[in-house]
Amino acid sequence: MQDEFTRFGLTNVQRKLTGVLQVIGGSGLLVGFLVPVLGLISSLGLTLLMILGFAVRLKIKDSFVQAAPSFIFILLNGYISYKIAQSLNIIT
């Protein structure tokens, strides 16, 4: 992963921050089974993180196949956010 982040043009601090945010987001999704609002916040945060990851992939001109995992996680976390917001009656 260090080599990948170097290829992305990102620093070690950004790499570590990304890892910490991913762990916090994943943990928040698990806690979201008990506290749906935390699940919503976590899934929105992970969606944003993956949008930024996808943008970095586009910026360095990776192929769509290389960028596909981040795009798939955008869709997945977006769907999770939508369903949680729907269950909380935030949206209809």
Side-chain angles (χ1 to χ4, degrees):
M1 286 308 290
Q2 289 179 352
D3 293 340
E4 282 293 294
F5 272 77
T6 300
R7 187 173 72 85
F8 299 156
L10 301 174
T11 66
N12 280 333
V13 171
Q14 290 168 317
R15 177 179 56 84
K16 290 176 184 177
L17 178 62
T18 299
V20 167
L21 291 174
Q22 287 176 341
V23 169
I24 291 171
S27 300
L29 284 178
L30 289 174
V31 173
F33 284 111
L34 301 174
V35 185
V37 172
L38 288 178
L40 177 61
I41 293 167
S42 296
S43 62
L44 289 172
L46 287 170
T47 301
L48 177 61
L49 194 62
M50 291 297 104
I51 289 170
L52 294 172
F54 187 70
V56 167
R57 293 285 191 155
L58 294 178
K59 180 183 172 193
I60 65 169
K61 298 187 179 4
D62 274 356
S63 69
F64 184 76
V65 171
Q66 290 172 306
S70 58
F71 186 74
I72 291 167
F73 280 115
I74 290 168
L75 296 176
L76 180 63
N77 283 299
Y79 179 75
I80 291 169
S81 299
Y82 174 77
K83 293 309 276 185
I84 294 173
Q86 200 174 40
S87 75
L88 294 171
N89 294 319
I90 296 172
I91 58 175
T92 56

